[in-house]
Amino acid sequence: MREPDHDHLTALPSAPLHSLLFQFRSIELVMQSADTISAVQTAEQHTLLLFTGGRGELGITEQTSLSVHADKCCLLPPGTSYSLENRELTLYYYVLTFAAVTTGDSPAFCLDELLPGQKELIVHPFTRVIRLAEELLAHHNGRDELQHVRQQLQFQELLLLLLEQNYSTRQLPSPAQSVESTIHFMQQHYKESITVKQLAELAGVSPWQYTPIFQKLTGQRPLDYLTDVRIGHSKTYLLEAAEPLREIARLVGFSDEYYFSRRFRQKTGMTPGQYARSQQRRITVTDWTGHSVDIPERPKRVVYHGETLGDVLALGVKPVGGDEAFARGSVYSHRVKRLANVGFPLDPQLTRSIRPDLIILASPDEQVYRGVSGIAPSLTFDSFAPLEQRLRILGEWLGKQREAEVWLQAYHAKNAAMWQRLYAGGLRAGETASALFYDHGNHLYAMGMTGLSTALYAPGGLQPTAEIKDILDKDLGFREVDPAMLHSYAGDRVFMLIPEREDSREAMEQLLQTELWSSLPAVEQGHAYMLDGAKWNSGDALTRERLLTLLPRLLGL
């Protein structure tokens, strides 16, 4: 039996599931940077796309486009051309391929859609699917024979989970077919306004006949059954989506969140929030300042209060709240337009109002921590830590460990390639650089462990001057510089970061007019660069990624 060859293999007619065998072939975790469109690819095998982070559009052929985001799953048959476009967040997704083979005397590859007309699949719980995908990825390419068998069984479990929720048997038992068909209608149209009169008309019976038949079939009155369907779907949203309560209420057919909350409590004995917290799997982690905290395994409503918001976005997670001042003017400001502003310092009342399930504070202040730790599980976070350390910690806390590794691997490869090109294009070995910044009026600072300097001194990059190396050796984010000592801090290339504050900008402009500034070797050589401080003086992951494009243009190499 040959592998699928779309030029020569004649597609078999749609085969029933019981006549097929499925064989797992490959899996990879793909990271696609924001504001990019992937090349068009053609699925050689049946291809499963499992989206774990970010948001984008899946283009299938030239006519069809599906909105995709975390916790979504799509199944494409062999021969399908597709591409992915994401304009907002870094997109992460597993690409899993498998073959479907017909059994019998003449086995052949089945190239038909396994679920005709259905490319987007319902998946619940998505966390179970992801765990299976992670296990398949962890042991892929192994040579152990038993492990190979175990992988095939894990794949069959994953596929069964998907088929159970998406394959229609079309063999429903029908003691009262006309009324039973309205049950299916309610399950499909629960988001809409539905009345008993409408259901009776659909069934073709009178309203007084309809309810007794319905009760005989289900044991419930029609509208009680409809409420249960809506509450059931709301549980999925509560566990796996980040939408606010009013949006969840609307999505499942309730006119307002207060009525939804009341009905939810009547049915379950707890509020929607209590239910969500009670169902989440939890892990215990230790934060920056030593708190040991039980947090959700995969939090959905994260408040991130710190200056490296781009770290969280790079992992495909969009926080529900933060301080908008940290994002203002940044390279990712357009991606956090609906971020709820919880202020600076963090306002506990505002934070509580957006119902976070995890709060991350880039502050060691115990008083601030105590102010919010009663709202939701809270963690302190060292935003001055190196990029690799920050992403791995956030990956653990946000259930995005693999995404963090994929992002770091891609970043390091691109960073190394950029510096190789720059040194081949004219940078001299051992060239030094400085990032300088005015703030708090006329105070001049040299950047160390934070901001732009983290990109300049990345592996393979420029070197710090002796004075700045001392800042780095002492793990300091920055140090104030006496202008009289400017020559000691200024490297072969000087990056002056333009401040937002008017008084600081005036102080910078005064310096630029002095003989001191003009006499710097970097200025004399034309190697002094002016950069928007709000945009480029950050060491977060997304800014670091954008600098890989900016620096070569800025240096003209």
Side-chain angles (χ1 to χ4, degrees), residues 500-518:
E500 278 189 286
R501 283 177 56 141
E502 188 65 32
D503 54 356
S504 296
R505 194 177 309 132
E506 288 177 1
M508 179 199 72
E509 289 170 352
Q510 287 175 10
L511 173 70
L512 299 184
Q513 302 302 317
T514 63
E515 179 62 24
L516 175 64
W517 175 261
S518 301

Side-chain angles (χ1 to χ4, degrees), residues 57-312:
E57 292 288 327
L58 172 65
I60 305 172
T61 65
E62 295 179 354
Q63 292 81 32
T64 307
S65 178
L66 296 175
S67 176
V68 295
H69 50 76
D71 302 351
K72 204 152 190 176
C73 176
C74 297
L75 179 60
L76 308 177
T80 303
S81 295
Y82 68 97
S83 68
L84 280 152
E85 177 177 359
N86 58 321
R87 297 191 179 281
E88 192 177 44
L89 294 175
T90 305
L91 191 63
Y92 292 92
Y93 56 98
Y94 285 94
V95 180
L96 193 156
T97 66
F98 63 97
V101 182
T102 58
T103 57
D105 295 335
S106 302
F109 287 106
C110 174
L111 308 182
D112 288 347
E113 287 185 298
L114 299 178
L115 302 168
Q118 191 175 350
K119 292 186 170 56
E120 181 180 342
L121 306 187
I122 298 168
V123 187
H124 177 73
F126 198 78
T127 50
R128 185 176 166 196
V129 172
I130 292 301
R131 274 196 290 276
L132 287 167
E134 288 175 344
E135 289 174 12
L136 287 171
L137 182 65
H139 302 291
H140 191 44
N141 296 325
R143 296 180 181 275
D144 183 271
E145 292 293 328
L146 285 178
Q147 184 59 45
H148 175 78
V149 174
R150 191 176 297 116
Q151 270 205 312
Q152 292 296 334
L153 293 175
Q154 285 171 333
F155 168 71
Q156 305 296 330
E157 182 183 351
L158 186 155
L159 189 61
L160 176 61
L161 184 64
L162 298 177
L163 292 175
E164 281 179 336
Q165 297 181 44
N166 295 276
Y167 186 76
S168 171
T169 64
R170 300 185 181 89
Q171 295 176 357
L172 296 174
S174 180
Q177 186 66 42
S178 59
V179 173
E180 193 164 17
S181 66
T182 65
I183 296 174
H184 182 68
F185 176 84
M186 293 164 77
Q187 292 168 343
Q188 296 297 315
H189 297 267
Y190 63 90
K191 300 177 183 179
E192 304 167 11
S193 175
I194 297 175
T195 65
V196 173
K197 181 181 178 184
Q198 179 188 4
L199 294 170
E201 288 174 353
L202 282 172
V205 299
S206 64
W208 66 268
Q209 288 178 308
Y210 179 82
T211 295
I213 296 174
F214 191 96
Q215 283 185 289
K216 189 173 182 180
L217 288 173
T218 68
Q220 291 179 285
R221 297 177 67 81
L223 295 186
D224 287 338
Y225 179 87
L226 178 60
T227 297
D228 280 353
V229 171
R230 288 170 169 165
I231 295 294
H233 283 282
S234 75
K235 290 178 178 177
T236 302
Y237 282 113
L238 286 166
L239 295 180
E240 302 196 356
E243 278 80 3
L245 204 59
R246 64 177 178 282
E247 181 63 11
I248 293 176
R250 186 190 67 78
L251 286 171
V252 299
F254 288 97
S255 56
D256 67 75
E257 64 182 282
Y258 303 106
Y259 179 63
F260 163 59
S261 294
R262 191 163 68 249
R263 295 292 285 158
F264 192 98
R265 189 163 194 163
Q266 287 173 347
K267 290 288 184 181
T268 68
M270 60 182 82
T271 66
Q274 289 170 335
Y275 172 80
R277 287 190 291 276
S278 71
Q279 297 297 309
Q280 284 180 318
R281 290 168 62 99
R282 303 180 85 79
I283 59 173
T284 302
V285 300
T286 302
D287 70 4
W288 178 26
T289 52
H291 304 103
S292 181
V293 186
D294 288 339
I295 65 172
E297 185 181 41
R298 298 175 70 85
K300 297 295 182 185
R301 297 184 60 80
V302 178
V303 167
Y304 181 85
H305 198 262
E307 60 274 72
T308 54
L309 183 60
D311 291 348
V312 182

